Amino acid sequence: GCGAFTVNLGATAGTYRVEWFRPATGAFSLAAEITATGQQNFKPPFGGDAVLYLRSSNPPAKDLPGKSPDLRLVNPKGL
C-alpha cells in the first residue's frame, strides 16, 4: 500500500473514528476508533491513492468559530 505517515493531533486531542477512502473505486474502509493525544501514525489498508478521514467522537461546541469536528488528509500515491 501507500507509505505510512504521521499526523500531529496534539492540538485536537480526542477520540476519532478512522475511515479510509479509495478514490479509484469510491469505496470506504472502516479501520478503528482511536484516542489521539499527540503524534499518531497511519498507514492505508490498500495501495494507490488514499484519503484518511477522521471524524471526531466528541465534536467541539457550536460556539467555537472555525472549529471542525472532521479532519481529512490525502495520502497521494508514492508517499
Side-chain angles (χ1 to χ4, degrees):
C2 292
F5 58 97
T6 302
V7 177
N8 184 352
L9 294 171
T12 55
T15 303
Y16 293 88
R17 187 177 69 225
V18 178
E19 296 179 16
W20 291 96
F21 175 66
R22 183 180 230 169
T25 63
F28 278 92
S29 169
L30 292 176
E33 187 165 281
I34 61 165
T35 300
T37 58
Q39 299 288 328
Q40 188 71 40
N41 297 315
F42 296 97
K43 184 173 182 182
F46 48 81
D49 290 343
V51 177
L52 172 63
Y53 182 64
L54 301 173
R55 182 179 273 304
S56 177
S57 296
N58 50 344
K62 292 183 183 212
D63 61 344
L64 297 176
K67 299 292 183 182
S68 171
D70 300 334
L71 178 62
R72 293 180 183 96
L73 302 165
V74 177
N75 184 23
K77 220 182 294 188
L79 290 181

